[in-house]
Amino acid sequence: MENKISTKEVMISMLSILVLVVSQTVANLIGSIAYVTAIPDWIGNIAFGIVYVLLTYFLLKILCIKLLKSFLENYGMGKPKLKLVWLISAVLLPAIVSVVLLCMPGELISNSVSLSQGMSIVTAALFYYGIGAGVVEEMVFRGIIMHTLESRWNKVVAILIPSMAFGLLHLIGKEMNFISILLLFVAGISVGILFSLITYESGSVWCSAIIHGVWNCIMIGGILNIGPTYDSEAIFSYILKSKSIIITGGDFGIETSIVSVFGYIIFALLAFYLWKRNQYTSQNKHYI
């Protein structure tokens, strides 16, 4: 019985990741129409984000109803519940990390981009990296996978396993040296734990999705690129003079920088504190 249950959990986790891959592929095909027609690129970016999120939500709903015999509400994907502390944190986390990095020695270069290029970059940041990747990854990892593992084991396992898988997933298609891989694994687990704790504290995936989306939009969206090399495709490029792989994040980039990791940990501690405080308050109300 134990093996059967374990096999079921693995199957559901793999199916939810397959949903992500299928939805991303379909969204890319629809979004790429703009590149082979006269449709502006920015419309393709918007189409990608909308299709990616809606298709993923629809397929996960089918997975829940048909295989899990449940509803998305039981997997943190019910009516959006937003909390002010996480709306503020969504801006503070990337802002603090960016300011710290911008205070380090470097050179800021403003690239000359046309209006159409600017719109393409901004819409890609908002809809491709922000709404698309940010929301979908939270629905899959902190929605289906985390809650499925919790029902089989406990919250500790439910937090750690998806966080490790989240880090490993970002290794796919990347050629990196050992130190860069290690940094990515540490950063991936740290940010995965952050998103998981926020999901548990807030009661849904939507707060973690907002933080994930805003982070992606600001840090990797292409509006401002911070790194050791010049980025001609960003609107602004800040070239760090530091050659330390710990500071620059190595082959993966600034998301695995020690500065970013510290940011993940600080806000994860905040989420853990608020989560435990909520539990303590609920227990006290129960005994009154």
Side-chain angles (χ1 to χ4, degrees):
M1 185 67 175
E2 290 286 326
N3 290 334
K4 289 183 179 179
I5 294 176
S6 298
T7 300
K8 178 182 177 181
E9 310 307 324
V10 171
M11 180 189 70
I12 291 171
S13 298
M14 295 302 293
L15 283 175
S16 61
I17 293 177
L18 179 61
V19 165
L20 182 153
V21 173
V22 170
S23 298
Q24 187 180 74
T25 301
V26 173
N28 270 322
L29 288 173
I30 293 175
S32 64
I33 292 176
Y35 294 97
V36 294
T37 63
I39 299 174
D41 292 349
W42 61 270
I43 293 180
N45 293 333
I46 294 174
F48 169 88
I50 294 174
V51 171
Y52 194 19
V53 172
L54 292 182
L55 183 57
T56 300
Y57 185 87
F58 175 73
L59 293 177
L60 290 180
K61 186 175 182 178
I62 293 176
L63 188 151
C64 276
I65 295 174
K66 298 298 183 181
L67 292 182
L68 298 172
K69 308 300 180 183
S70 186
F71 301 97
L72 287 178
E73 288 80 359
N74 297 323
Y75 291 82
M77 288 178 277
K79 183 179 179 180
K81 295 187 293 183
L82 305 179
K83 300 184 70 171
L84 182 60
V85 62
W86 300 123
L87 294 177
I88 295 174
S89 297
V91 177
L92 280 181
L93 174 57
I96 291 172
V97 171
S98 296
V99 168
V100 171
L101 291 169
L102 289 172
C103 286
M104 296 181 178
E107 179 184 4
L108 178 64
I109 298 177
S110 176
N111 292 318
S112 298
V113 297
S114 65
L115 178 61
S116 62
Q117 289 175 321
M119 290 183 67
S120 179
I121 293 172
V122 171
T123 52
L126 289 172
F127 290 90
Y128 191 97
Y129 297 104
I131 294 175
V135 174
V136 167
E137 289 176 7
E138 291 310 296
M139 287 195 292
V140 169
F141 286 93
R142 258 60 64 175
I144 300 297
I145 296 178
M146 188 174 79
H147 286 86
T148 297
L149 294 177
E150 181 190 348
S151 67
R152 168 62 178 86
W153 285 284
N154 54 54
K155 284 185 171 65
V156 175
V157 173
I159 289 173
L160 291 178
I161 297 301
S163 298
M164 293 174 66
F166 185 70
L168 291 173
L169 185 67
H170 286 75
L171 286 171
I172 297 176
K174 303 290 192 308
E175 294 184 5
M176 298 184 290
N177 59 42
F178 176 75
I179 300 299
S180 294
I181 292 174
L182 182 61
L183 287 173
L184 174 57
F185 192 62
V186 171
I189 292 177
S190 300
V191 77
I193 291 174
L194 165 63
F195 294 147
S196 299
L197 290 172
I198 292 173
T199 297
Y200 276 129
E201 193 283 328
S202 63
S204 76
V205 303
W206 306 124
C207 285
S208 63
I210 288 176
I211 290 185
H212 193 161
V214 173
W215 171 270
N216 282 0
C217 182
I218 294 176
M219 302 303 296
I220 63 173
I223 297 173
L224 169 63
N225 179 78
I226 303 175
T229 58
Y230 169 65
D231 186 355
S232 61
E233 297 183 358
I235 297 177
F236 298 98
S237 180
Y238 189 75
I239 308 171
L240 290 169
K241 291 185 178 180
S242 175
K243 300 303 179 183
S244 171
I245 193 172
I246 303 297
I247 298 297
T248 64
D251 296 329
F252 191 80
I254 211 66
E255 288 185 288
T256 58
S257 163
I258 190 66
V259 179
S260 296
V261 172
F262 271 123
Y264 306 149
I265 293 173
I266 291 171
F267 281 86
L269 291 174
L270 171 62
F272 183 75
Y273 166 76
L274 293 176
W275 180 29
K276 289 301 180 182
R277 189 185 68 175
N278 292 344
Q279 291 181 324
Y280 177 78
T281 302
S282 298
Q283 289 174 355
N284 284 346
K285 285 182 179 180
H286 177 73
Y287 288 114
I288 292 176

